[in-house]
Amino acid sequence: MLQYQRLKAIFGNPSNYARQWTEPAASVSSMSKKPGKGGGTGKNSKASKDEVKPAPAAGPVLVDGKTGNLIVKILAKPGAKTSGITDVSEEGIGCQIAAPPIDGEANTELIKYLSKLLDLRKSDISLDRGSKSRQKTIVLDKAGCRHSPEQLLVIFRNEASAGV
């Protein structure tokens, strides 16, 4: 208790400090809004904090909201004897690749294998991310791909079960 009294004597009433942190600062709320900056819907406004943002879609096959292209998450395992799908999980499609991870050979083999598996042209499949990583993101062009995300998952699951 003595320590509390010393602190109170030095800093004043601690309830004032608690109130200071819970109440919004007057200088922030009295700032004028500049025209043309969105009318208070920026990241610091109360309107954006109250809005509920939808959760990002989970799973290995997604649809890009802007372009409509299909995005496939791949967990690559280069250096295998044969190319194939090993597993399908929320993190991605496990894919063993029959090429070494040298000079992009595994990436080329992955695109070649997916084009054969999904019956697409190689030009409709592109490597978006992960050219030097085992975690890759493949983009399937919406103009060339006639499969839905659900159909792709069925194809990948069938291939994974056939390879076992």
Side-chain angles (χ1 to χ4, degrees):
M1 188 69 177
L2 183 62
Q3 197 173 24
Y4 175 75
Q5 290 174 345
R6 284 185 191 163
L7 291 173
K8 187 175 179 183
I10 295 171
F11 296 110
N13 190 359
S15 64
N16 291 338
Y17 294 107
R19 194 176 311 120
Q20 177 184 359
W21 290 107
T22 58
E23 294 176 359
S27 61
V28 174
S29 62
S30 65
M31 295 173 81
S32 64
K33 304 284 183 200
K34 292 183 180 178
K37 292 289 184 182
T41 58
K43 66 178 183 178
N44 293 330
S45 71
K46 286 191 176 202
S48 66
K49 289 180 183 177
D50 294 339
E51 293 176 8
V52 177
K53 293 183 179 179
V61 181
L62 308 168
V63 178
D64 187 7
K66 293 181 181 177
T67 61
N69 293 337
L70 293 173
I71 298 172
V72 182
K73 297 179 198 173
I74 300 286
L75 302 175
K77 299 164 189 128
K81 290 183 179 180
T82 59
S83 294
I85 304 295
T86 57
D87 65 327
V88 178
S89 66
E90 289 295 315
E91 292 83 35
I93 307 293
C95 185
Q96 62 184 19
I97 305 165
I102 300 170
D103 296 331
E105 290 180 38
N107 295 332
T108 305
E109 178 64 26
L110 174 64
I111 290 176
K112 181 180 171 185
Y113 172 71
L114 289 176
S115 69
K116 181 180 174 187
L117 176 67
L118 302 174
D119 194 29
L120 299 173
R121 296 178 301 172
K122 286 189 278 185
S123 61
D124 291 334
I125 302 173
S126 62
L127 181 64
D128 185 37
R129 292 190 190 133
S131 63
K132 295 184 179 183
S133 171
R134 290 182 180 222
Q135 296 178 344
K136 301 180 183 301
T137 303
I138 301 291
V139 176
L140 305 176
D141 187 24
K142 69 176 180 180
C145 185
R146 58 192 171 278
H147 302 294
S148 68
E150 295 80 18
Q151 290 172 331
L152 286 177
L153 283 174
V154 168
I155 292 170
F156 290 136
R157 286 189 179 118
N158 289 340
E159 185 70 16
S161 63
V164 174

